[in-house]
Amino acid sequence: MRFTKQLLLVCFITSLFSTAQNNKISLEDIWSGTFRTERMDALHSMNNGQQYSVLNFDRTSGSTTIDVYDYKTLNKEKTLVNSANLEAVKYFTDYTFSDDESQILLATDVESIFRRSTLGKYFIYDTKTKQLELVAEEKIQEPTFSPDGTKLAYGYNNNLFVKDLKTGNTQQITFDGEKNKIINGITDWVYEEEFGFVRAFEWNAGSDKIAFIRFDETDVPEFSMDVYGQDLYQTQNVFKYPKAGEANAKVSLHIHDLKASQTEEVKVNKTYTDFYIPRIAWTNNPDVLSAQYMNRHQDELDLWFVNAKANTTNLVLEDRDNAYVDVTDNLTFIEDDSFIWTSEKDGYNHIYHYDETGKLINQITKGNWEVTSYYGFDAKNKTIFYQSTENGSINRDVYSIKLNGRDKTRLSANDGTNSAAFSADFSYFIKTFSSATTAPVYTLNNAKNGKQIKLIKDNTALQNKLKEYQMSKKEFSTIAINGNDLNMWMIKPANFDASKSYPLFMFQYSGPGSQSVSNSWNNANDYWYQYLAQKGYIIACVDGRGTGYKGAEFKKVTQKELGKYEVEDQIDAAKKLGAESYIDASRIGIWGWSYGGYMSSNALFKGNDVFKMAIAVAPVTSWRFYDSIYTERYMTTPQENPSGYDENSPINHVDKLKGDFLLIHGTGDDNVHVQNTMRMVEALIQADKQFEWMIYPDKNHGIYGGNTRLHLYKKMTNFIDQTLGDKILP
């Protein structure tokens, strides 16, 4: 009797364990937030280097607070501002300190314009007097404190304004701004998207001068998108969008002197035609502005020092490349007026130190690996902090190194993806670590040696929850294709049987300098791949030529031929994987989004004897339809390189379609316009090719909102099941 009870108990426990391992992921789980990770709130390191502030939202009261915490103890020290105590502000969504932290700019009623740009109502909160002041009655852009905290500059209706915070008076400093014609101090669409910034004005250290870029969009062609909305008649969103080879905005650099109430245009000692100004920044000298000028081909980048007092310009540095020069935010000025710069000039992205005249002092980092993030310079200890791929291209580690290139120290210990947020005085950093097997872990670390001081937050609860589900391992490896060992991951069904044959579904993005194979924690798509693996699919991802973090030569081999080598690598990788006994070579599919959709379309058309199906979401279908800065960086102009554009654009290969094709786009996509899909559809129709497609009204490049994502992934899953999964046995 006792034996029987023990046996029943063992069976019961075994059954529970088995059940716990066999829960199936559903699409609803993925898009309802079931597997959402705990994350650190965005923090601001206080000037003292010992405390940080965090924006907290109280869901019960609907109010927001800015709370200050101690780095060492992680205890809350005080609340700087609580919207519950502010009559004019129910809640705020972002905040910015003045340099001395006595004033806080609070953002309310913020609405998006494009990817990065916003409009909002802003208030200034004085931490000493507890008084609140509205900056302007109108919604404004990019309000920015002067370094001395006495003034605030902002953009409104394409012009620049400065508010005196002592008197409350507002002065307009530009007057020619006009929609779709002239923009002062705020970037146009293509600068915002491709150079990655919106605020095109900068205060000098003396708080008496503002440098700004002026954009003359008059000759830039307009693009319009119908907005269907909920009204009886649709409206149109009309904006300036320079496609490849078309007119860009004419840019000019200006400096406004607040004391003299005078604006002067900067004229450098070199003639430029059809050029970019992708970065401006004042040096430590309040009279000296740095400005980066770049030719339209983007293979020549010049760093200028502009002396506003002496009205002189000096060309300090020339960065040149046979393909293109990357624009970064890494320029750092040191007290002696020397500066730190990053460049790929030795074949890998590394850190360099130059004197104030542009003479190279030394190359700080060296090796066949990439610096992937520059965190900053600790002037007191003459130490630079950065992230790199020194421990393998799919991993990231945090390092410190002296300005002279010595005493390099690895500050992260675990293999995977490590990143850091440093305190203002560089005594501490909050490390974020994750890998394919470890959900994000946040720790407080000593910046001198990297040693962990305290665990802040982890995702143990999520990892325990995932133990209840049938999860497959993400297997990392390399695959030898076209003379290169390409990084790859593969996910197989949990009950994988090498004697069986499985359909293969490939994912890639493949854009220049990108990476899809990384040793990091799951994103939403990874759970979708687990869901597909549960159904009996093998999912694989290969980073081909043109992707990043393996040196400039590997990344830039695609120059003037975007889509040629990348597609060859995906086709040949699929062939090689299809030769494996456990993969059904007659059932191989591929998908991608944006550049990845461009790639999956090309792969299906050009690799019609390899791929049975493809899904393309928001794809570029001809490089002639995409913007000037991105496309010409890699292809020059269509006038100069027509064959490079046309031979590698899927719209010109629709006649090769044999397999099943699903095309998806949002009509509100201001980035990759739905024009790409409409023109592809017409080409397919005229070629008498059958295909499936789905349009999402008013959805942008991300295709989300409400039930949209769930609908999208159900649509794609059903298509996969119909085209690849018809032979999967239960």
Side-chain angles (χ1 to χ4, degrees):
M1 187 68 178
R2 183 181 299 172
F3 175 78
T4 304
K5 285 183 178 179
Q6 289 175 340
L7 181 60
L8 286 171
L9 182 61
V10 170
C11 290
F12 177 68
I13 292 172
T14 304
S15 175
L16 280 177
F17 181 79
S18 177
T19 302
Q21 298 293 313
N22 287 324
N23 285 350
K24 297 290 185 73
I25 292 173
S26 69
L27 292 177
E28 287 76 11
D29 285 334
I30 299 171
W31 298 112
S32 66
T34 299
F35 306 118
R36 186 179 293 123
T37 56
E38 290 286 330
R39 298 192 178 277
M40 278 287 291
D41 295 312
L43 59 86
H44 164 85
S45 181
M46 306 298 285
N47 289 342
N48 59 26
Q50 304 302 303
Q51 295 175 317
Y52 62 90
S53 65
V54 172
L55 178 67
N56 289 317
F57 179 67
D58 187 328
R59 295 185 182 277
T60 304
S61 65
S63 61
T64 45
T65 57
I66 299 174
D67 299 315
V68 176
Y69 297 82
D70 182 89
Y71 269 112
K72 192 172 287 186
T73 66
L74 304 181
N75 293 330
K76 188 170 95 170
E77 299 289 308
K78 59 184 174 180
T79 295
L80 285 177
V81 58
N82 187 337
S83 67
N85 301 326
L86 305 175
E87 186 177 340
V89 177
K90 183 178 180 182
Y91 66 92
F92 48 91
T93 54
D94 199 3
Y95 69 99
T96 307
F97 284 99
S98 59
D99 281 5
D100 67 358
E101 297 177 345
S102 66
Q103 301 174 92
I104 310 173
L105 186 69
L106 306 178
T108 70
D109 198 14
V110 175
E111 61 181 271
S112 293
I113 304 173
F114 296 119
R115 187 190 295 264
R116 297 173 177 85
S117 53
T118 59
L119 284 166
K121 283 208 167 186
Y122 291 84
F123 294 81
I124 295 175
Y125 179 79
D126 189 307
T127 60
K128 295 177 181 176
T129 66
K130 314 299 183 188
Q131 296 298 306
L132 190 71
E133 181 183 359
L134 178 65
V135 174
E137 292 292 339
E138 307 83 7
K139 284 192 171 185
I140 60 176
Q141 286 186 272
E142 300 296 313
T144 305
F145 284 112
S146 60
D148 65 5
T150 64
K151 293 174 279 292
L152 189 84
Y154 61 87
Y156 172 65
N157 277 353
N158 291 15
N159 282 311
L160 286 177
F161 296 76
V162 175
K163 181 166 186 170
D164 188 312
L165 301 181
K166 290 183 176 179
T167 66
N169 295 330
T170 298
Q171 177 186 359
Q172 184 173 345
I173 64 173
T174 68
F175 297 88
D176 58 348
E178 185 178 348
K179 181 176 172 59
N180 285 338
K181 287 189 178 179
I182 305 294
I183 315 173
N184 292 291
I186 302 293
T187 55
D188 65 356
W189 184 94
V190 73
Y191 266 63
E192 175 183 336
E193 178 66 26
E194 305 302 354
F195 286 140
F197 72 113
V198 176
R199 179 165 58 86
F201 67 85
E202 295 286 341
W203 285 100
N204 73 335
S207 301
D208 59 357
K209 294 182 180 69
I210 296 177
F212 66 93
I213 305 171
R214 178 181 183 269
F215 296 81
D216 183 347
E217 296 187 295
T218 304
D219 296 331
V220 178
E222 287 184 344
F223 192 83
S224 65
M225 299 188 306
D226 280 337
V227 180
Y228 298 99
Q230 300 296 320
D231 295 332
L232 188 60
Y233 291 89
Q234 86 279 17
T235 58
Q236 280 198 323
N237 182 10
V238 181
F239 58 100
K240 295 296 184 111
Y241 184 105
K243 293 182 184 286
E246 298 298 310
N248 281 322
K250 296 180 179 68
V251 292
S252 53
L253 180 60
H254 304 258
I255 297 176
H256 180 82
D257 188 316
L258 273 75
K259 292 179 179 177
S261 295
Q262 186 174 341
T263 301
E264 297 288 343
E265 182 178 350
V266 172
K267 297 286 188 180
V268 296
N269 301 323
K270 180 177 178 178
T271 301
Y272 292 93
T273 56
D274 214 357
F275 65 99
Y276 301 113
I277 307 177
R279 294 289 186 272
I280 58 173
W282 289 92
T283 67
N284 296 321
N285 184 331
D287 291 319
V288 178
L289 172 74
S290 76
Q292 297 178 34
Y293 281 60
M294 177 175 261
N295 65 336
R296 182 154 181 165
H297 281 172
Q298 299 173 69
D299 55 2
E300 299 178 1
L301 179 65
D302 294 335
L303 176 64
W304 288 89
F305 283 178
V306 179
N307 191 308
K309 188 174 184 179
N311 198 26
T312 60
T313 61
N314 182 29
L315 180 57
V316 176
L317 185 147
E318 298 173 288
D319 207 344
R320 302 290 185 263
D321 193 276
N322 291 330
Y324 58 89
V325 178
D326 281 317
V327 174
T328 75
D329 294 307
N330 299 335
L331 174 61
T332 302
F333 296 103
I334 299 176
E335 288 180 356
D336 62 1
D337 292 327
S338 64
F339 60 92
I340 293 166
W341 183 263
T342 57
S343 173
E344 291 182 322
K345 67 180 185 177
D346 80 340
Y348 293 85
N349 193 46
H350 282 297
I351 304 172
Y352 297 81
H353 184 202
Y354 292 87
D355 71 15
E356 62 179 334
T357 68
K359 180 182 178 181
L360 179 65
I361 297 174
N362 66 305
Q363 180 176 346
I364 298 168
T365 61
K366 299 175 184 177
N368 296 341
W369 43 270
E370 303 265 331
V371 171
T372 46
S373 288
Y374 167 79
Y375 291 126
F377 175 65
D378 176 2
K380 180 181 177 181
N381 296 300
K382 296 190 182 308
T383 300
I384 288 170
F385 296 92
Y386 66 93
Q387 180 199 62
S388 80
T389 63
E390 194 165 354
N391 192 33
S393 60
I394 68 170
N395 295 313
R396 301 287 186 276
D397 277 287
V398 179
Y399 288 86
S400 66
I401 192 170
K402 294 295 184 182
L403 187 61
N404 60 13
R406 299 174 182 171
D407 299 333
K408 181 170 67 177
T409 303
R410 182 183 176 188
L411 300 177
S412 50
N414 299 320
D415 288 348
T417 299
N418 297 272
S419 61
F422 285 84
S423 61
D425 65 353
F426 292 98
S427 58
Y428 303 109
F429 69 93
I430 292 177
K431 185 183 76 171
T432 302
F433 167 74
S434 81
S435 70
T437 57
T438 304
V441 177
Y442 304 90
T443 56
L444 179 69
N445 296 68
N446 185 310
K448 186 174 183 180
N449 51 32
K451 288 185 177 179
Q452 180 175 321
I453 298 171
K454 185 170 289 190
L455 172 68
I456 301 174
K457 185 180 291 188
D458 63 19
N459 278 279
T460 302
L462 172 61
Q463 299 225 219
N464 288 335
K465 179 187 291 185
L466 287 173
K467 291 177 182 178
E468 302 171 6
Y469 289 84
Q470 189 182 84
M471 301 289 289
S472 299
K473 181 182 179 182
K474 180 182 279 190
E475 301 172 2
F476 290 97
S477 63
T478 58
I479 182 169
I481 301 292
N482 295 318
N484 295 282
D485 290 329
L486 306 179
N487 292 334
M488 180 176 81
W489 58 250
M490 180 178 285
I491 296 172
K492 299 171 183 172
N495 59 353
F496 173 74
D497 183 344
S499 67
K500 293 183 178 180
S501 183
Y502 298 86
L504 173 66
F505 188 53
M506 296 178 67
F507 162 71
Q508 46 64 57
Y509 178 74
S510 303
S514 66
Q515 185 176 57
S516 297
V517 182
S518 66
N519 189 7
S520 56
W521 185 245
N522 303 331
N523 58 35
N525 278 340
D526 287 305
Y527 291 106
W528 185 46
Y529 303 143
Q530 292 287 343
Y531 171 75
L532 293 175
Q534 289 174 177
K535 285 171 161 279
Y537 298 96
I538 289 178
I539 304 91
C541 178
V542 176
D543 274 341
R545 284 173 289 178
T547 56
Y549 311 112
K550 300 182 80 171
E553 183 179 355
F554 184 84
K555 180 175 72 173
K556 295 176 177 177
V557 69
T558 62
Q559 193 69 8
K560 295 186 180 180
E561 294 278 9
L562 275 189
K564 174 179 169 60
Y565 299 107
E566 306 98 300
V567 170
E568 288 177 4
D569 283 353
Q570 294 300 319
I571 292 172
D572 291 342
K575 285 180 180 177
K576 188 163 188 175
L577 291 172
E580 297 288 347
S581 61
Y582 54 84
I583 288 177
D584 183 349
S586 69
R587 275 168 171 69
I588 300 178
I590 187 169
W591 94 287
W593 196 309
S594 193
Y595 196 103
Y598 157 77
M599 284 287 298
S600 61
S601 303
N602 258 339
L604 181 65
F605 299 164
K606 293 186 174 184
N608 57 17
D609 58 337
V610 177
F611 291 102
K612 184 180 185 298
M613 62 81 80
I615 301 173
V617 182
V620 172
T621 61
S622 170
W623 285 118
R624 292 176 181 269
F625 300 152
Y626 201 54
D627 76 60
S628 56
I629 293 179
Y630 181 94
T631 312
E632 294 171 16
R633 180 184 300 150
Y634 312 114
M635 297 284 278
T636 67
T637 66
Q639 294 87 341
E640 297 168 293
N641 183 24
S643 63
Y645 275 75
D646 297 336
E647 290 176 12
N648 298 302
S649 289
I651 198 170
N652 298 317
H653 298 281
V654 293
D655 59 303
K656 300 179 178 68
L657 175 62
K658 292 181 182 178
D660 301 299
F661 187 39
L662 174 59
L663 189 55
I664 298 169
H665 221 121
T667 66
D669 193 334
D670 62 282
N671 183 2
V672 181
H673 305 144
V674 74
Q675 173 193 32
N676 284 270
T677 284
M678 293 303 184
R679 292 283 288 269
M680 174 84 100
V681 165
E682 176 62 14
L684 288 162
I685 291 169
Q686 296 309 318
D688 198 25
K689 299 294 182 179
Q690 295 297 311
F691 62 97
E692 301 293 331
W693 67 314
M694 173 61 71
I695 292 294
Y696 286 94
D698 295 339
K699 294 300 182 282
N700 65 16
H701 196 54
I703 310 181
Y704 62 90
N707 191 57
T708 304
R709 272 292 172 96
L710 179 59
H711 187 279
L712 168 62
Y713 277 79
K714 281 184 176 179
K715 179 71 176 176
M716 293 195 295
T717 301
N718 290 339
F719 186 74
I720 295 166
D721 288 342
Q722 292 162 10
T723 57
L724 292 184
D726 55 323
K727 284 191 176 180
I728 293 179
L729 298 175

